[in-house]
Amino acid sequence: MEFSEHIKTANVEDVVLRRPSHAPMKGTLCVTGHHLLFSDRDGDSPKQVLVLLRNIDAIEKSVENLLGYSSLFSSSVQSERPTLSSGTITLRCKDLSVLQLDIPGMEECLNIGHSIETLSSLETVSHTYPFFYRPSGLSLQGQWGLSSTELDYAQMEDLNDQWRLSHVNRDYCVCPSYPPAVIVPRAIDDEALIKVAKFRQWGRFPVLCYYHKPNSMVIMRSSQPLTGANRKRCREDELLLQAVIDGSEKGYIIDTRSSQQAQQARMTGGGFESKSSYSCWKRLHRQLERGKVLQESLIKLMEACGDHSDSVDRWLSKLENSKWLSHVHNALATAGLTAECVERDGHSVLVHGSEGTDTTLLVSSLARLILDPSSRTLPGFLALLEREWVQAGHPFQQRCAHSAYSHARIRQEAPVFLLLLDCVWQLAHQFPLAMGFSEALLIRLASDAYASNYGTFLCNSDQERCALGVKERTHCLFQALLTHRERECYSNPLYEPTELAIWPSVQPQSLQLWRGLFLRWTQHTRHLEEAQEEIRNLVLECRGADRASGELDP
Amino acid sequence: MEFSEHIKTANVEDVVLRRPSHAPMKGTLCVTGHHLLFSDRDGDSPKQVLVLLRNIDAIEKSVENLLGYSSLFSSSVQSERPTLSSGTITLRCKDLSVLQLDIPGMEECLNIGHSIETLSSLETVSHTYPFFYRPSGLSLQGQWGLSSTELDYAQMEDLNDQWRLSHVNRDYCVCPSYPPAVIVPRAIDDEALIKVAKFRQWGRFPVLCYYHKPNSMVIMRSSQPLTGANRKRCREDELLLQAVIDGSEKGYIIDTRSSQQAQQARMTGGGFESKSSYSCWKRLHRQLERGKVLQESLIKLMEACGDHSDSVDRWLSKLENSKWLSHVHNALATAGLTAECVERDGHSVLVHGSEGTDTTLLVSSLARLILDPSSRTLPGFLALLEREWVQAGHPFQQRCAHSAYSHARIRQEAPVFLLLLDCVWQLAHQFPLAMGFSEALLIRLASDAYASNYGTFLCNSDQERCALGVKERTHCLFQALLTHRERECYSNPLYEPTELAIWPSVQPQSLQLWRGLFLRWTQHTRHLEEAQEEIRNLVLECRGADRASGELDP
């Protein structure tokens, strides 16, 4: 594909760039196939602003003549006095930033607007920037990613007599959204798994997601069983779950839908595990919103954050009205419940909602973070995201097609992953020493999930990534974040590993707006960053001093 | 006075103490003249909880028999089965903590409740604990307090030709709520001051509160002029203000009432500086709430904080409804405006509302914190509070008689000082490196203003303190806070002095609930404190390392 056919005007001089909390800059705007590049070469220190076109969520154009009113001119007026006119393009980005470009010349403005509109919404995944990004220092050879089911399984020797690695999905036929290898109860053979897959929505049969070593209990995840209106049963499904709790008297099913929603799902072929067929399992319903409701919540939240009124009441009322913090609360509370079932009550848990690709992953991975110290290190957390979100089939491409600013009709968009990151931020905020990673990492992940130089969050499943050669043709974000240079700023300088579970408080009073993400473009956070920097320097200094004094010892 | 006459039961065994976020403790309760002492001598580590009786804001008693229902029994039932009954006393403290005591024996419970009620509300100031507190290491000899008008004046040589020290109030006759010495324009003699005092409510004539060295502009404070319905004038008052802006073309009056309130004040003898009489002064009205409105706001805020519902919406709605953050917003915005007048617009400012003892001090001292680096050190901040709140006649005894939990009718109570501390916390939160003191200091001050071992916040004015011999018979809190042991935990380990003004963001989105104060008894803040401790240790370690490596140098 030739990007150049979409670029009629590649360069404009004397463009003014305006951003909140920044002085306006005047310079040259340049459009390339994947970026907007703004350069201000005046002044003592030349400045550049680079915007990935993929990052642009919505664009507004307005053209203005010198009489000072704003409108889209007819072309006759354009040609009569082209030099007197100028245009303004407002870019609302998926990373929640807002930029405004004042562009001299109406034609230039319209051309650039058109280029941005086209190039920011390329449909073909292999045309996106990750397929072109070739940074020095990173090679396309070698292993892609941090973890694999095989590696995980090999490391958990304890469970090898009860659990096995299955390659039943090696060609993605049994479950298109699962990776080729999964961990399942040893008692269940592949033939049975195929039958179970047919009984679960989209083939997402129950698989192991976390093994809690202290008491050998597990967290499993799946999609809903397809019991339908006729209360269909599947013997193999029942056996699989029975095998999970083998030896223990019961297990819990955390259903992320209300009891009523689960009942209604039967009308469309879905359903739930009935008491009669799964007598050892106790179902707990905790309704978590997803899809459109969640997307609209984010949109309202960002409207509230961008509100310029100076009324505190109005702000708090809009914040409440967005319901975002309620979603954070519900997710954390359900994850806490799941972790309690495992650690305090000493039983295994199966988590699912409908498809098992959204709130299911949210709850199971938060529960793991609460329980599992190894998932709280920087590499451990990234591996968790890789296994439990990317490989587990969270449809990133659909969910992150737009963020809060798009005026397009909401289709498959939903900020489930953003909600996960917010919940993790709440955890890290309540336990400032327990996490090996910093707030900056969470913000970086939030940005990259929507628009990235890396291939990690492309596509909706392992199968799609395989088909496009993502692992051969793009770089892996998680690996890049662990390189020495990046690692420094994504680590928590105060990190002190604890073997204990970290139980979050879910009192409404304990939850806070994640200002670092949602207000980062509108607030002066410079002083807060300085403080972070200061703490980081102190730690480095101390480490240096330790090393120096160590050298003095014989 | 014999405290013992109010103590019928001095000791009870087997009392259970319950506090939020703590396991219940069983032990001995002991009542003394000024304290409740609870001791748990069981277990490996004996624990003690000491409550200053003065700290108790409200007490609730309920007596319960073994049938399990709760009521106040008639005495016949009491005598029939005294051992079967027990009582519960709930103590709501001025420092916002809540304690519950389960006391075996109805009579004991009622006796203790009665002692608490009487001893916690002693009317006579000289019977309160500061007059009995004699810690080792502190002496009653020597200077009381950190600062004085004389010292301040001596340090500001720059202003000596324009300003002078006046002792017109040496016997508190001119203004009962002012200290004996004040700084006034040199051009105005004491005779004129006496006339001005008669023209200002409660004699609070305009005095210097802050001299801004970079441009020689000042902040003054006073009470409202008593123009009344007949638009009375006072030539000396006009001359005094004229003398303030001598050489400059104008000054600003920041009136902390709305324009309408200022108009209405004329009906009751008050008023404002009219344009015709004070032609060089521009009045700006910014309404700040005080008195009952502010007290009710705090009560509602604490109701919201203590709400046990798990609805985020309800919490945010109650938080909004309390209006507390609106008061914080308005105070900071008005202080910002005042600082802007001085630093950016380059003019002097007079701040006043009605009496000049509440919102006036709030605005003028916050403006000073924004502008003046020396007021942001630990000793500088304490000196500011001493001069601009204690000596300037903020009526602490009236304002802090009750905090958020009392059911008594609101009379003179108002959390103006708490609002100041909250605004300072917002500043410190937005500029984590700029303040020399820690959040712990602000929390300590909030507690001590309501109930203290020290005499600093006793009485309503210097005159009252003088009459009672507070400076001879009690210890000074501010001095105690600067002793080596205390100083350590009240300093900001990340402090890096800046000479610049610190302009707070007053966007509603920038303001946060001060969780460290308002939620400290209901939330697990242990992990946050650990993080603070960790940062503190890092700094100490670094300093130690610096010193060690310094010693290696020749």
Side-chain angles (χ1 to χ4, degrees):
Chain A
M1 178 202 176
E2 285 300 319
F3 298 117
S4 58
E5 73 191 52
H6 298 295
I7 305 174
K8 282 195 191 139
T9 300
N11 280 283
V12 195
E13 303 285 335
D14 294 327
V15 171
V16 177
L17 170 67
R18 298 176 200 278
R19 291 177 293 172
S21 312
H22 284 83
M25 288 159 64
K26 193 170 190 168
T28 307
L29 181 70
C30 175
V31 188
T32 73
H34 292 110
H35 291 96
L36 283 187
L37 174 64
F38 178 88
S39 325
D40 173 8
R41 291 203 189 72
D42 289 349
D44 299 334
S45 53
K47 293 183 196 92
Q48 286 202 331
V49 176
L50 187 70
V51 180
L52 193 60
L53 287 167
R54 193 78 184 176
N55 185 23
I56 294 167
D57 203 27
I59 164 170
E60 286 158 28
K61 288 169 291 188
S62 73
V63 191
E64 199 168 301
N65 77 351
L66 284 191
L67 297 172
Y69 58 84
S70 184
S71 67
L72 274 169
F73 276 80
S74 69
S75 56
S76 68
V77 179
Q78 266 186 55
S79 54
E80 262 168 52
R81 33 182 206 176
T83 55
L84 285 179
S85 60
S86 78
T88 295
I89 291 181
T90 304
L91 302 175
R92 298 181 188 277
C93 298
K94 293 175 187 167
D95 66 3
L96 310 178
S97 63
V98 179
L99 289 80
Q100 188 185 308
L101 296 164
D102 298 346
I103 299 174
M106 195 177 310
E107 197 180 334
E108 286 79 358
C109 181
L110 292 173
N111 285 345
I112 285 178
H114 183 73
S115 298
I116 294 174
E117 274 170 348
T118 314
L119 295 169
S120 64
S121 53
L122 295 175
E123 292 277 336
T124 317
V125 174
S126 60
H127 289 168
T128 60
Y129 189 59
F131 286 88
F132 298 83
Y133 179 59
R134 296 292 171 264
S136 64
L138 285 183
S139 150
L140 282 178
Q141 313 299 320
Q143 198 216 325
W144 205 91
L146 306 176
S147 60
S148 69
T149 316
E150 287 83 354
L151 214 67
D152 260 28
Y153 183 73
Q155 280 167 356
M156 296 186 281
E157 278 173 32
D158 288 27
L159 55 72
N160 291 8
D161 48 333
Q162 290 288 326
W163 298 82
R164 70 183 183 91
L165 203 60
S166 164
H167 293 95
V168 68
N169 197 41
R170 67 175 66 78
D171 51 6
Y172 304 107
C173 284
V174 178
C175 173
S177 59
Y178 270 177
V182 289
I183 302 172
V184 293
R186 185 166 288 282
I188 306 300
D189 63 18
D190 283 355
E191 210 169 314
L193 284 181
I194 292 170
K195 286 186 185 154
V196 176
K198 288 198 177 120
F199 184 65
R200 294 272 171 179
Q201 186 168 6
W202 296 355
R204 295 176 68 91
F205 54 89
V207 296
L208 182 80
C209 130
Y210 169 59
Y211 172 70
H212 191 54
K213 217 170 167 179
N215 64 8
S216 307
M217 294 298 125
V218 300
I219 299 177
M220 312 269 298
R221 54 176 165 75
S222 70
S223 59
Q224 65 180 337
L226 301 174
T227 54
N230 301 327
R231 304 177 187 274
K232 241 191 314 183
R233 293 177 60 169
C234 169
R235 185 73 193 132
E236 289 77 9
D237 194 78
E238 293 165 20
L239 284 174
L240 193 158
L241 289 197
Q242 192 55 45
V244 170
I245 52 170
D246 181 41
S248 164
E249 86 260 30
K250 68 169 173 182
Y252 289 101
I253 293 170
I254 307 278
D255 194 322
T256 63
R257 304 165 295 179
S258 69
S259 166
Q260 201 189 357
Q261 284 175 323
Q263 286 285 355
Q264 281 169 351
R266 287 175 48 222
M267 298 306 118
T268 49
F272 53 89
E273 294 83 357
S274 67
K275 261 180 208 160
S276 55
S277 316
Y278 301 83
S279 57
C280 293
W281 290 82
K282 184 170 170 48
R283 254 184 309 121
L284 301 170
H285 290 275
R286 292 291 182 275
Q287 187 187 347
L288 299 184
E289 297 295 347
R290 58 201 187 110
K292 201 172 166 184
V293 173
L294 212 53
Q295 181 71 8
E296 278 169 352
S297 172
L298 177 67
I299 292 170
K300 280 189 190 161
L301 175 67
M302 290 316 297
E303 274 170 17
C305 289
D307 189 282
H308 291 300
S309 135
D310 76 340
S311 156
V312 176
D313 289 0
R314 184 174 154 139
W315 154 244
L316 287 175
S317 160
K318 285 190 144 206
L319 177 63
E320 177 194 341
N321 202 34
S322 81
K323 304 265 181 203
W324 182 262
L325 282 171
S326 296
H327 300 312
V328 171
H329 172 269
N330 295 343
L332 270 178
T334 308
L337 174 69
T338 307
E340 269 185 319
C341 289
V342 174
E343 161 111 348
R344 295 194 173 155
D345 206 46
H347 290 102
S348 289
V349 179
L350 169 67
V351 184
H352 73 72
S354 306
E355 298 89 356
T357 52
D358 294 275
T359 52
T360 300
L361 306 181
L362 184 63
V363 169
S364 58
S365 39
L366 282 173
R368 178 161 180 180
L369 270 169
I370 293 171
L371 294 174
D372 176 18
S374 77
S375 68
R376 298 182 214 132
T377 64
L378 174 56
F381 178 60
L382 295 178
L384 170 73
L385 296 182
E386 187 173 59
R387 296 267 296 108
E388 290 298 315
W389 285 79
V390 178
Q391 292 172 11
H394 177 67
F396 277 100
Q397 189 180 327
Q398 290 175 352
R399 297 291 179 264
C400 301
H402 286 293
S403 80
Y405 295 129
S406 166
H407 301 302
R409 200 167 57 82
I410 299 169
R411 286 178 304 184
Q412 305 273 1
E413 292 85 357
V416 189
F417 187 64
L418 219 55
L419 184 58
L420 170 86
L421 295 175
D422 194 337
C423 291
V424 175
W425 179 83
Q426 307 283 347
L427 270 174
H429 190 73
Q430 291 188 19
F431 298 89
L433 307 182
M435 301 297 199
F437 48 88
S438 66
E439 179 178 11
L441 178 84
L442 299 174
I443 294 173
R444 170 75 188 263
L445 290 169
S447 287
D448 274 62
Y450 283 87
S452 178
N453 295 346
Y454 297 89
T456 299
F457 294 118
L458 291 177
C459 307
N460 293 307
S461 67
D462 218 44
Q463 183 183 30
E464 286 183 27
R465 278 184 289 273
C466 206
L468 288 175
V470 166
K471 296 183 190 184
E472 292 78 35
R473 297 169 60 199
T474 76
H475 290 285
C476 168
L477 172 67
F478 297 146
Q479 284 174 303
L481 293 177
L482 290 179
T483 57
H484 182 70
R485 205 179 41 137
E486 304 267 4
R487 197 168 182 149
E488 190 68 36
C489 75
Y490 294 128
S491 315
N492 174 10
L494 297 177
Y495 177 49
E496 282 191 1
T498 169
E499 285 303 309
L500 299 174
I502 50 172
W503 298 104
S505 161
V506 293
Q507 279 180 3
Q509 291 94 335
S510 302
L511 303 177
Q512 295 193 39
L513 178 68
W514 185 9
R515 289 181 154 74
L517 180 72
F518 297 115
L519 293 171
R520 73 179 158 144
W521 302 107
T522 45
Q523 279 195 354
H524 290 279
T525 52
R526 188 165 57 86
H527 303 290
L528 304 183
E529 281 158 18
E530 271 174 21
Q532 284 302 318
E533 192 56 32
E534 183 71 21
I535 294 171
R536 194 173 298 283
N537 289 339
L538 277 170
V539 175
L540 286 177
E541 216 174 295
C542 274
R543 278 200 212 127
D546 282 357
R547 226 171 287 133
S549 66
E551 281 166 14
L552 294 176
D553 290 334
Chain B
M1 177 202 178
E2 285 300 318
F3 297 119
S4 58
E5 74 190 52
H6 298 295
I7 304 174
K8 283 195 191 139
T9 300
N11 281 284
V12 195
E13 304 285 336
D14 294 327
V15 171
V16 177
L17 170 66
R18 298 176 200 277
R19 292 176 292 171
S21 312
H22 284 82
M25 288 159 64
K26 194 169 191 170
T28 307
L29 181 71
C30 175
V31 187
T32 73
H34 292 110
H35 291 97
L36 283 186
L37 174 63
F38 178 89
S39 325
D40 172 9
R41 292 204 188 73
D42 290 349
D44 299 335
S45 53
K47 293 183 196 94
Q48 286 203 330
V49 177
L50 188 69
V51 180
L52 193 59
L53 287 167
R54 192 77 184 176
N55 184 23
I56 295 167
D57 204 27
I59 164 169
E60 286 157 29
K61 287 169 291 188
S62 73
V63 191
E64 197 169 303
N65 78 351
L66 284 192
L67 297 173
Y69 57 85
S70 183
S71 66
L72 274 168
F73 276 81
S74 69
S75 56
S76 68
V77 178
Q78 267 186 53
S79 54
E80 262 170 50
R81 31 183 207 176
T83 54
L84 286 179
S85 60
S86 77
T88 295
I89 291 180
T90 304
L91 301 175
R92 299 181 187 276
C93 297
K94 292 175 186 167
D95 66 3
L96 310 178
S97 62
V98 178
L99 288 80
Q100 188 185 307
L101 296 163
D102 298 345
I103 299 173
M106 195 178 308
E107 198 179 335
E108 286 79 358
C109 180
L110 292 173
N111 284 345
I112 285 178
H114 183 72
S115 298
I116 294 174
E117 274 170 351
T118 313
L119 295 168
S120 65
S121 52
L122 296 176
E123 292 278 336
T124 317
V125 174
S126 60
H127 289 167
T128 60
Y129 188 59
F131 286 87
F132 298 82
Y133 180 59
R134 296 292 172 263
S136 64
L138 285 183
S139 150
L140 282 179
Q141 312 300 319
Q143 198 216 326
W144 205 91
L146 307 175
S147 62
S148 69
T149 317
E150 287 83 353
L151 215 67
D152 259 28
Y153 184 73
Q155 280 168 355
M156 297 186 280
E157 278 174 32
D158 288 27
L159 54 71
N160 291 7
D161 48 334
Q162 291 288 326
W163 297 81
R164 71 183 183 90
L165 203 61
S166 166
H167 293 95
V168 69
N169 198 42
R170 67 176 67 78
D171 50 6
Y172 305 108
C173 284
V174 178
C175 173
S177 60
Y178 270 179
V182 290
I183 302 171
V184 294
R186 186 166 287 282
I188 307 301
D189 62 18
D190 282 357
E191 212 169 313
L193 284 180
I194 292 170
K195 286 185 186 154
V196 176
K198 289 197 177 120
F199 184 64
R200 294 273 172 179
Q201 187 168 5
W202 297 354
R204 295 177 68 92
F205 54 88
V207 296
L208 182 80
C209 129
Y210 169 59
Y211 172 70
H212 191 53
K213 219 170 166 179
N215 63 6
S216 307
M217 294 296 124
V218 300
I219 299 177
M220 312 269 298
R221 54 175 165 75
S222 70
S223 59
Q224 65 179 339
L226 302 173
T227 55
N230 301 326
R231 301 179 188 274
K232 241 191 313 182
R233 293 177 59 169
C234 170
R235 184 74 193 131
E236 289 76 9
D237 194 78
E238 292 164 20
L239 283 174
L240 193 158
L241 289 197
Q242 192 55 45
V244 170
I245 52 170
D246 181 41
S248 164
E249 86 261 29
K250 68 169 173 182
Y252 289 102
I253 294 170
I254 307 277
D255 194 322
T256 62
R257 304 164 296 179
S258 69
S259 166
Q260 201 190 357
Q261 285 175 322
Q263 286 285 356
Q264 282 169 350
R266 287 174 49 222
M267 299 304 119
T268 49
F272 53 89
E273 294 82 357
S274 66
K275 263 181 206 159
S276 54
S277 316
Y278 302 82
S279 59
C280 293
W281 290 82
K282 185 169 169 48
R283 254 184 308 120
L284 301 170
H285 290 274
R286 291 292 182 276
Q287 187 186 345
L288 298 184
E289 297 295 347
R290 55 199 190 111
K292 201 173 166 184
V293 174
L294 211 53
Q295 181 71 8
E296 278 169 350
S297 172
L298 177 67
I299 291 170
K300 279 188 191 160
L301 175 67
M302 291 316 297
E303 275 170 18
C305 289
D307 189 284
H308 290 302
S309 135
D310 76 340
S311 155
V312 177
D313 289 1
R314 184 174 154 139
W315 154 242
L316 287 175
S317 160
K318 285 191 145 206
L319 178 62
E320 177 193 341
N321 201 34
S322 80
K323 304 264 181 205
W324 182 262
L325 282 171
S326 297
H327 300 312
V328 171
H329 173 268
N330 296 342
L332 271 178
T334 309
L337 173 70
T338 307
E340 268 185 319
C341 290
V342 174
E343 162 112 346
R344 295 194 173 153
D345 206 45
H347 290 102
S348 289
V349 179
L350 169 67
V351 184
H352 73 71
S354 306
E355 298 90 356
T357 53
D358 295 275
T359 53
T360 300
L361 307 181
L362 183 63
V363 169
S364 58
S365 39
L366 283 173
R368 178 162 180 178
L369 270 169
I370 292 172
L371 294 174
D372 176 17
S374 77
S375 68
R376 298 181 215 133
T377 64
L378 174 56
F381 178 60
L382 295 177
L384 170 74
L385 296 182
E386 186 173 59
R387 297 268 296 107
E388 290 297 315
W389 284 80
V390 178
Q391 293 171 10
H394 177 68
F396 278 100
Q397 189 181 327
Q398 290 175 352
R399 296 293 179 263
C400 302
H402 286 292
S403 78
Y405 295 129
S406 166
H407 301 302
R409 200 166 58 83
I410 300 169
R411 286 176 306 183
Q412 305 275 1
E413 291 85 357
V416 189
F417 187 64
L418 219 54
L419 184 57
L420 170 88
L421 295 175
D422 194 337
C423 292
V424 176
W425 179 83
Q426 307 282 346
L427 270 174
H429 190 73
Q430 291 187 19
F431 298 89
L433 307 182
M435 301 297 199
F437 48 87
S438 65
E439 179 178 11
L441 179 83
L442 299 173
I443 294 172
R444 172 74 188 264
L445 291 168
S447 286
D448 274 63
Y450 283 88
S452 179
N453 295 346
Y454 297 90
T456 300
F457 294 118
L458 292 177
C459 306
N460 295 305
S461 68
D462 218 43
Q463 183 183 29
E464 287 182 26
R465 279 183 288 272
C466 205
L468 288 175
V470 165
K471 296 182 191 185
E472 292 78 36
R473 297 169 59 200
T474 77
H475 291 286
C476 168
L477 173 67
F478 297 146
Q479 285 174 302
L481 293 177
L482 290 179
T483 56
H484 181 71
R485 205 178 43 137
E486 305 267 2
R487 197 167 182 150
E488 190 68 38
C489 75
Y490 295 129
S491 315
N492 173 9
L494 298 177
Y495 178 48
E496 282 191 0
T498 169
E499 286 302 308
L500 299 173
I502 50 171
W503 298 104
S505 161
V506 293
Q507 279 181 4
Q509 291 92 337
S510 302
L511 303 177
Q512 295 193 39
L513 178 68
W514 184 10
R515 290 182 154 74
L517 181 72
F518 297 115
L519 293 171
R520 73 177 157 144
W521 303 107
T522 45
Q523 279 195 355
H524 289 279
T525 53
R526 190 165 55 86
H527 304 291
L528 304 182
E529 281 158 18
E530 271 174 21
Q532 284 303 316
E533 192 56 31
E534 183 71 21
I535 294 170
R536 194 172 298 283
N537 289 338
L538 277 170
V539 174
L540 286 177
E541 215 174 296
C542 274
R543 276 198 216 130
D546 283 357
R547 225 173 289 134
S549 65
E551 281 165 14
L552 293 176
D553 290 333

